[in-house]
Amino acid sequence: MAKQTWKPGNMLYPLPAVMVSAADRDGRDNIITVAWVGTVCTNPPMVSISIRPERFSYHMIRDTGEFVINLTTEKLAFATDYCGVRSGRDVDKFKETGLTREKADIVKAPMIKEAPVSIECRVREVKELGSHHMFLADVLAVHADEAYMDENNKFDLKLAGPLVYSHGEYSGIGEPLGTFGYSVRKKKRHKMSKK
């Protein structure tokens, strides 16, 4: 089969569907669902999120320079979608979804208690790129729910049932197919599939 050529667009899927919590200087908070999110750097630890300027949370983040990335799970799929399609101008998303505000250690934005991981961030730079502006941010603290520690006391996010977003749909991530480096380990060599 041949590949079709399409116009330029974003086809880098699946992506993590995260809920970003933010607060303004008066303490009014909001949750926005973001799929344009990613790791930028390990040392120093940095992430990025991209948001349209017309979104309600945009100015909260732009003005305060702070936000929290909250990872989502299959159980949080409804709340994740709701926070992406309803505006904080009109509703209190914590109240409407039943999510719980949790105080962060460093930033003023709340964390979401039900999230398996919450990442406190401080904006380093804003890049106005077009339809979305990218917030390049330093990671200040990571909070991991002890409920997802395995028998070796290692955090295992797959126990939480992570949620991903792919071309308009939410999905779980399925069963692991291997671990980092498994293709070159000497004990169990796997032949690469030639389909």
Side-chain angles (χ1 to χ4, degrees):
M1 288 182 107
K3 290 183 180 175
Q4 296 180 4
T5 301
W6 296 348
K7 67 178 183 176
N10 294 319
M11 287 295 293
L12 188 62
Y13 290 117
L15 300 162
V18 303
M19 290 188 281
V20 173
S21 45
D24 64 21
R25 296 189 187 279
D26 296 326
R28 182 175 179 186
D29 56 31
N30 192 45
I31 305 168
I32 181 175
T33 300
V34 177
W36 308 141
V37 58
T39 298
V40 174
C41 187
T42 300
N43 189 15
M46 295 177 69
V47 293
S48 70
I49 60 171
S50 294
I51 302 175
R52 292 178 182 271
E54 59 269 20
R55 297 295 298 264
F56 183 63
S57 292
Y58 174 88
H59 292 287
M60 291 179 173
I61 296 169
R62 186 91 190 220
D63 293 345
T64 64
E66 297 179 343
F67 60 91
V68 177
I69 295 173
N70 301 276
L71 300 190
T72 59
T73 65
E74 293 178 33
K75 289 180 182 176
L76 294 172
F78 183 88
T80 302
D81 183 64
Y82 185 90
C83 290
V85 297
R86 291 288 184 237
S87 175
R89 290 181 185 91
D90 305 321
V91 296
D92 177 338
K93 294 182 190 179
F94 279 99
K95 180 180 175 185
E96 295 300 318
T97 59
L99 295 172
T100 310
R101 291 172 176 88
E102 190 169 46
K103 188 176 183 330
D105 288 348
I106 301 168
V107 301
K108 298 229 178 0
M111 299 187 299
I112 297 172
K113 184 175 184 173
E114 292 78 8
V117 174
S118 296
I119 305 167
E120 296 186 57
C121 303
R122 180 164 293 131
V123 176
R124 178 186 286 214
E125 186 178 346
V126 181
K127 297 221 174 250
E128 298 181 9
L129 300 171
S131 64
H132 291 68
H133 293 181
M134 183 178 73
F135 292 91
L136 192 61
D138 292 304
V139 173
L140 305 177
V142 177
H143 305 267
D145 191 329
E146 293 176 347
Y148 304 109
M149 302 300 269
D150 67 15
E151 63 277 358
N152 298 316
N153 206 31
K154 180 182 173 189
F155 185 77
D156 188 352
L157 184 60
K158 69 181 171 289
L159 294 174
L163 187 68
V164 295
Y165 177 82
S166 183
H167 210 66
E169 296 179 341
Y170 301 100
S171 303
I173 61 170
E175 291 298 314
L177 302 176
T179 58
F180 180 76
Y182 85 102
S183 64
V184 296
R185 286 199 187 100
K186 291 183 181 179
K187 286 185 180 179
K188 292 184 181 178
R189 273 231 141 158
H190 297 275
K191 289 185 179 181
M192 293 184 72
S193 174
K194 293 182 179 178
K195 289 185 179 178

